[in-house]
Every structure is written in C-alpha cells, then in structure tokens.
Amino acid sequence: MFGPEKEELLREEMSRFGVKEEDIVEKFVRSQGPGGQNVNKVSTCVHLKHLPTGIEIKCSEERSQYLNRRLARVLLLRKIENTILGKLSQEQKRIAKIRRQKHRRSRRAKQKMLEAKRLHSEKKQLRAPVRL
C-alpha cells in the first residue's frame, strides 16, 4: 500500500505543514478486534502524539504495524491540516457538502421545484409523437 513514492509524498506533506519526526511521540500498543494470533501477540496499534499541537491519533486499521504507522501519520496530518486551515480544509468542505445535500427544502421551495418539474414534464409530453 505504501511505496517509495507515497513515502516521499508523506514526507513532503509533513514538511509543508511543519511537522517534524522529532515532534512526534510514537507508542505501540496491542490492537483489539479481528486479526487472530497476530493481533494478540504483536503490538500493531500505533499511538502518535504531536507535541506542539497536542493532537493524538490511534490507528489500528491494518494488521501490519508498518501500515498502521504510515496511516497514523496521514491521519495526524489531516487533523493538523484541519486545525491550521480551518474552514478551507478538504474535510470541512466534504462535511459542509454533505450537510447541504441533506438539508430539507422549505415548503415554498419544494412547491416551486415541483411546479418547475411539472412544467418541464408537460413540455416533454408535447414533443411526443402524435398517435392517431
């Protein structure tokens, strides 16, 4: 999942946000959930703490400690990005878009929309071939 190109992109993004490896405290703990013997014997869950911001991340998505370390760093960068950029961040935009999509229309707006649909339907029916 993580090749040399993705590692390089991760390092570039870390430098872009000013995150240094020295500022990150990394601990490994045992994961919970499915994974069998591997999960029970190996500490695959990664716990990261970014000292300057105090942001903490726990990642146990994968069965591999290596993949969890990379994923935890990506999650940490997303959280730091959210705090730095605020409303401009990708996550905030995604959440706002979902909120707009789920927003209920007012009764008047719904009536206007249905009226426009009805008129469009009538217009399309007039284009239909005439049956004798």
Side-chain angles (χ1 to χ4, degrees), residues 77-89:
L77 284 174
R78 293 297 152 257
K79 275 209 169 183
I80 291 172
E81 178 184 17
N82 284 344
T83 57
I84 291 173
L85 300 179
K87 289 186 178 181
L88 302 176
S89 73

Side-chain angles (χ1 to χ4, degrees), residues 111-131:
Q111 286 174 344
K112 283 175 69 177
M113 185 259 312
L114 290 174
E115 179 64 21
K117 277 185 157 186
R118 189 184 60 73
L119 291 173
H120 187 69
S121 171
E122 288 175 4
K123 189 188 327 178
K124 287 184 81 168
Q125 284 177 350
L126 291 173
R127 292 188 208 140
V130 178
R131 295 188 187 170

Side-chain angles (χ1 to χ4, degrees), residues 51-105:
L51 296 176
T53 58
I55 295 174
E56 293 186 40
I57 294 288
K58 261 188 175 179
C59 181
S60 60
E61 299 290 319
E62 301 291 333
R63 287 179 61 186
S64 158
Q65 188 184 79
Y66 172 76
L67 288 177
N68 282 332
R69 288 182 75 198
R70 301 295 159 232
L71 287 172
R73 279 170 172 69
V74 170
L75 292 173
L76 182 70
L77 284 174
R78 293 297 152 257
K79 275 209 169 183
I80 291 172
E81 178 184 17
N82 284 344
T83 57
I84 291 173
L85 300 179
K87 289 186 178 181
L88 302 176
S89 73
Q90 294 294 336
E91 184 68 12
Q92 294 288 348
K93 286 180 185 178
R94 186 183 69 79
I95 290 169
K97 181 180 178 184
I98 290 170
R99 190 174 290 133
R100 282 193 308 273
Q101 288 173 344
K102 290 185 175 183
H103 181 70
R104 287 186 59 180
R105 289 187 172 97

